[in-house]
Amino acid sequence: MKFSEIVQKLNLATSRTLTASVAADPEITGATPVDEAAPGTISYIEGAKFAAHTATTNASALILPLDESLQAQCDDRNIAWIAAPDPRLLFAETIAIFYQPFRPASEIHPSAVVDPSAEISENVYIGPHAVIQAKVKIGSNVCIHPNVVIYPDAEIGAGTVLHANCVIHERTRIGANCVIHSGAAIGSEGFGFVPTATGWVKMEQSGCTVLEEGVEVGCNSTIDRPAVGETRIGQNTKIDNLVHVGHGCQVGKNCAFAAQVGMAGGVKIGNNVILAGQVGIANQAKIGDGAIATAKAGIHSDVAAGAIVTGIPAIPHKLFLKATAVYNRLPEMYQSLRQIQRKLDR
């Protein structure tokens, strides 16, 4: 595909006219990382940290920030370029020109087990050995890969993709255009047990789990249903692999949770919250809109909107940096104190 064709497609996709230099209008065969690029590929430069690659990359085309000096470097090296306020976003749109995820044609495989009471809309794919139980409702253009199991009375919204070996438990509601990756369990039983003098008594988990439109859940993640009420994940929230969302949690819109995040029951998370890898959140804690928890943060109490927290237990990030600076000086401070003590002892 000629570079000029890519520019034209991106202009249409973004509904705006992008600044570009076609140069020799090279043939582009794919998108690659800037430090691994070969002739015939397109890559991108994001910020000053990667600007030096402009002088060394073998890419035939680059997506640049709005930086005239980088553009001039590309012109000097005869590299075609496009400039945009957010090069990474434009690069994501460029990848989509060259690659689309595997999508099988509409069919119900003969080995799939579909209960007669299930409602299946048009243009649905149900793969080998999938099991669709009673009163399940499946919207149009849904893709259900092999070995998926959907328990009774679940609903799957239009355009949703369920990857191989995921499990959707009873009464779960999944909105349109969601993606559930392999091994994930949605709507599984919450961890509900009542302590008694003779041992633990199971509290049946009669609630449901709701995923709103555009939610993505990574491989082997679990989102539990509560004893009563619902666990809800807000629109367009993205959940990485190996994340656990406990029973009765309420998660807002446009959140992002990295791998191995774990939250106990009843946690309430606002909109646009970011949880980095291995963040743990205690029972009933509340996280305000736009808050960020850095990797391994242990959150035991509420976090205010817009706050950035770090550490175990989690404290404001700036305070954590000050405390770390002191911690790193402890050996030196200890030696100084010992010297003072020796002088006092004389």
Side-chain angles (χ1 to χ4, degrees), residues 98-343:
F98 291 97
Y99 169 78
Q100 289 295 317
F102 168 66
R103 172 66 192 243
S106 173
E107 71 160 336
I108 298 177
H109 193 273
S111 66
V113 178
V114 180
D115 190 276
S117 66
E119 298 179 18
I120 312 295
S121 297
E122 69 277 5
N123 196 31
V124 168
Y125 171 76
I126 301 177
H129 306 293
V131 177
I132 315 298
Q133 296 188 2
K135 299 181 181 178
V136 168
K137 296 179 181 178
I138 296 176
S140 59
N141 301 301
V142 166
C143 181
I144 300 173
H145 285 282
N147 298 321
V148 168
V149 176
I150 304 178
Y151 280 60
D153 199 31
E155 294 183 9
I156 313 298
T160 285
V161 178
L162 305 179
H163 284 283
N165 301 305
C166 71
V167 180
I168 312 301
H169 286 263
E170 58 262 38
R171 300 181 307 283
T172 296
R173 305 290 182 260
I174 296 179
N177 301 313
C178 293
V179 179
I180 312 299
H181 285 279
S182 297
I186 311 300
S188 48
E189 286 188 348
F191 192 63
F193 297 91
V194 180
T196 71
T198 57
W200 296 97
V201 174
K202 184 178 183 66
M203 179 181 288
E204 295 297 346
Q205 305 294 289
S206 69
C208 68
T209 295
V210 179
L211 274 56
E212 296 181 2
E213 179 178 355
V215 170
E216 298 199 19
V217 180
C219 295
N220 296 317
S221 290
T222 58
I223 303 176
D224 289 350
R225 69 180 187 267
V228 293
E230 65 179 27
T231 302
R232 179 174 289 266
I233 309 296
Q235 183 177 353
N236 202 42
T237 284
K238 311 302 181 186
I239 297 175
D240 197 0
N241 302 332
L242 298 166
V243 170
H244 173 70
V245 179
H247 57 275
C249 290
Q250 304 292 309
V251 176
K253 300 177 182 178
N254 299 311
C255 296
F257 303 157
Q260 297 184 5
V261 163
M263 56 189 74
V267 169
K268 290 182 170 57
I269 294 180
N271 301 323
N272 304 299
V273 170
I274 296 174
L275 303 179
Q278 296 188 338
V279 166
I281 306 177
N283 192 51
Q284 305 292 329
K286 297 179 177 62
I287 315 295
D289 292 350
I292 298 173
T294 65
K296 293 181 178 290
I299 298 174
H300 299 274
S301 57
D302 295 352
V303 175
I308 303 175
V309 296
T310 301
I312 305 171
I315 58 176
H317 184 65
K318 289 183 178 180
L319 177 59
F320 177 85
L321 293 178
K322 292 178 181 178
T324 301
V326 173
Y327 180 81
N328 289 336
R329 292 177 56 204
L330 283 177
E332 172 190 337
M333 294 167 66
Y334 175 71
Q335 291 299 326
S336 297
L337 288 172
R338 282 179 58 86
Q339 290 173 8
I340 293 170
Q341 186 62 51
R342 289 192 190 103
K343 290 178 180 178

Side-chain angles (χ1 to χ4, degrees), residues 1-14 16 18-20 27-33 40-45 59-64 80-84 86-101:
M1 181 184 301
K2 290 290 186 182
F3 176 72
S4 56
E5 296 177 67
I6 295 172
V7 174
Q8 184 178 15
K9 289 178 182 290
L10 291 172
N11 279 329
L12 292 172
T14 58
R16 66 181 186 269
L18 298 162
T19 304
E27 188 76 21
I28 304 297
T29 58
T32 59
T41 63
I42 185 170
S43 191
Y44 77 109
I45 300 293
S60 296
L62 286 174
I63 299 171
L64 302 175
W81 55 266
I82 317 170
D86 190 340
R88 188 169 182 232
L89 176 60
L90 197 65
F91 187 64
E93 293 166 348
T94 303
I95 291 174
I97 293 174
F98 291 97
Y99 169 78
Q100 289 295 317

